[in-house]
Amino acid sequence: QVQLVETGGGSVEAGGSLRLSCVVSEYSVAYYAMGWFRQVPGKEREAVATIDNDHTTHYANSVRGRFTISKANAKNTLYLQMNSLKPEDTAMYYCAAARRTFCLNVDDFEAAHWGHGTQVTVSS
């Protein structure tokens, strides 16, 4: 059974940093594209960052230059380093595994599996 388990969320002040992790079971982080999404209550889930199987990365304009997506194939784990956090980054963050090995951009990502999410709260 495929499982994606996110950790690392929490509460920080604006300007702070957090690192999210997503441990994946029964699905290859090395082979498939992976991504991070976020959702605020009452709004649609939005893509934050994706990484292809060859480590090519894509970012939403709102986080480019502040967030970094990476993966450790040997650990089957996905990461999201978030720096210079802003109050508008407050959301539930979800890890996702794609159906394909790559995507053209963050909006081209087709998720096959989702994690349950980890809350990130940024105070001003």
Side-chain angles (χ1 to χ4, degrees):
Q1 182 179 356
V2 178
Q3 286 190 320
L4 289 75
V5 180
E6 304 98 333
T7 57
S11 297
V12 296
E13 293 185 349
S17 298
L18 283 173
R19 189 194 195 203
L20 306 183
S21 299
C22 173
V23 177
V24 181
S25 303
E26 304 298 327
Y27 208 78
S28 175
V29 168
Y31 184 77
Y32 291 99
M34 301 291 298
W36 288 99
F37 290 69
R38 65 187 182 188
Q39 188 170 24
V40 175
K43 294 188 177 181
E44 290 190 1
R45 191 173 298 187
E46 64 172 353
V48 173
T50 64
I51 185 167
D52 297 342
N53 67 342
D54 67 353
H55 293 260
T56 299
T57 57
H58 306 278
Y59 294 95
N61 289 335
S62 59
V63 307
R64 186 174 289 112
R66 299 188 298 121
F67 291 11
T68 302
I69 187 172
S70 62
K71 60 177 181 168
N73 290 339
K75 296 182 179 180
N76 221 36
T77 300
L78 180 71
Y79 303 99
L80 185 68
Q81 178 66 43
M82 304 185 294
N83 298 329
S84 301
L85 282 161
K86 303 176 181 180
E88 51 264 43
D89 294 319
T90 295
M92 183 72 77
Y93 283 71
Y94 298 90
C95 172
R99 302 181 185 277
R100 305 180 314 193
T101 60
F102 73 98
C103 59
L104 300 177
N105 52 59
V106 291
D107 295 322
D108 184 48
F109 190 96
E110 296 180 7
H113 303 282
W114 294 93
H116 292 291
T118 185
Q119 178 68 37
V120 172
T121 302
V122 184
S123 59
S124 58

